[in-house]
Amino acid sequence: MSTQTAAGRITLLEETLAGAKAEGRAALIAYLPAGFPTVDGGIEAVKAVFEGGADVVEVGLPHSDPVLDGPVIQTADDIALKNGVRIADVLRTVREAHAASGKPVLVMTYWNPVDRYGAERFAAELAEAGGAGCILPDLPVEESEVWRKAAQLHGLATVFVVAPSSRDERLAKITAAGTGFVYAASLMGVTGTRASVGAQAADLVRRTRAGTELPVCVGLGVSDAAQAAEVAGFADGVIVGSAFVKRLLDHADDPAGGLDAVRALAAELAEGVRKRG
């Protein structure tokens, strides 16, 4: 793959986020785990979310010990792992979702599977599949050089996660190392839908922006259009995961209904990020 082609993939992510900003709105970023409810079903779910209005999708690499993920995503990961999902299936999901939509698809993964697979190999294969980058929630910046070099070589964004507990000097260090955007966890804890997104999120976005020009996108807790509008009022992107996964779990016996449900939720959230609460 040429450097020019690789660089174009980061540009797609950057242009997507910049395009949403130019429209006076936040970007809608959805999360779905690969292999859930099946590999084919997971691919169709990502396509449905894009059809509903998502700008970017994070494809999760299921992990047996997902420390950041709440019970909804853990349940989906367990199903995917019991079905034998592999990294090849994650890459296939990225490839087919990107090919069908032409939109940015990232992988969200804990570091251990990538480290075992080989950072250079994973980066090369993700880029070949059309991936836009990786979100690595448990990889400390201080230990990220191997991955960041491989990602840069293949034109992939490296997205780090910041939290309300992150001090300003820590935020500056993390954002200086990251590319694409910054993932701001809206509150301390694991993923999952919540009645309120939390006032900490706006303060975290403000502090993060003070040290970077990267877009700051907020996740953990957003589940409906009203919350999406609230977050869109102060963030560059709204990240939604558990709410989509729950729709699929609620339609376990009706795969077509599950696809309709996530497509409809994406449409509701896409409308929400355009209202900017």
Side-chain angles (χ1 to χ4, degrees):
M1 178 191 344
S2 70
T3 303
Q4 183 178 1
T5 302
R9 296 219 167 90
I10 277 194
T11 300
L12 177 61
L13 177 61
E14 292 172 343
E15 286 184 349
T16 298
L17 295 172
K21 184 176 182 179
E23 293 176 11
R25 65 176 179 88
L28 174 60
I29 303 175
Y31 167 93
L32 284 168
F36 169 76
T38 62
V39 174
D40 289 343
I43 292 169
E44 293 306 311
V46 176
K47 291 179 182 178
V49 166
F50 272 135
E51 290 165 3
D55 299 291
V56 180
V57 168
E58 305 167 7
V59 172
L61 195 161
H63 194 272
S64 57
D65 185 25
V67 293
L68 185 69
D69 296 316
V72 171
I73 292 176
Q74 285 185 23
T75 298
D77 279 3
D78 286 344
I79 292 170
L81 290 168
K82 287 175 182 176
N83 287 340
V85 69
R86 296 289 184 266
I87 285 179
D89 299 314
V90 178
L91 295 171
R92 179 187 159 208
T93 301
V94 171
R95 178 180 292 106
E96 295 193 19
H98 173 66
S101 66
K103 295 182 179 181
V105 183
L106 299 101
V107 168
M108 187 166 190
T109 177
Y110 295 97
W111 175 240
N112 182 257
V114 176
D115 189 33
R116 291 179 61 184
Y117 196 75
E120 165 61 28
R121 178 187 176 193
F122 187 84
E125 293 182 10
L126 177 57
E128 188 278 329
C134 253
I135 302 168
L136 298 154
D138 67 336
L139 179 62
V141 171
E142 294 81 0
E143 300 172 19
S144 67
E145 185 177 2
V146 169
W147 166 257
R148 285 189 289 120
K149 283 184 175 179
Q152 183 177 16
L153 177 65
H154 295 285
L156 300 172
T158 296
V159 178
F160 289 109
V161 177
V162 298
S165 60
S166 302
R167 296 182 179 273
D168 290 349
E169 57 269 26
R170 183 66 180 167
L171 290 175
K173 189 170 188 177
I174 292 171
T175 56
T179 55
F181 65 90
V182 182
Y183 187 127
S186 65
L187 70 175
M188 302 302 293
V190 298
T191 59
T193 60
R194 290 173 170 82
S196 174
V197 176
Q200 298 178 83
D203 181 64
L204 176 58
V205 170
R206 177 189 60 77
R207 292 193 298 117
T208 304
R209 279 182 174 156
T212 183
E213 294 184 358
L214 290 173
V216 182
C217 304
V218 170
L220 301 194
V222 177
S223 61
D224 58 35
Q227 290 177 335
E230 176 190 353
V231 174
F234 58 80
D236 299 297
V238 180
I239 303 170
V240 182
S242 295
F244 284 113
V245 176
K246 188 175 186 302
R247 294 282 178 108
L248 293 176
L249 286 170
D250 289 345
H251 291 81
D253 298 325
D254 178 18
L259 295 179
D260 289 341
V262 295
R263 188 182 293 107
L265 177 59
E268 294 167 16
L269 294 167
E271 182 178 353
V273 299
R274 285 165 171 79
K275 290 183 177 177
R276 300 179 74 95

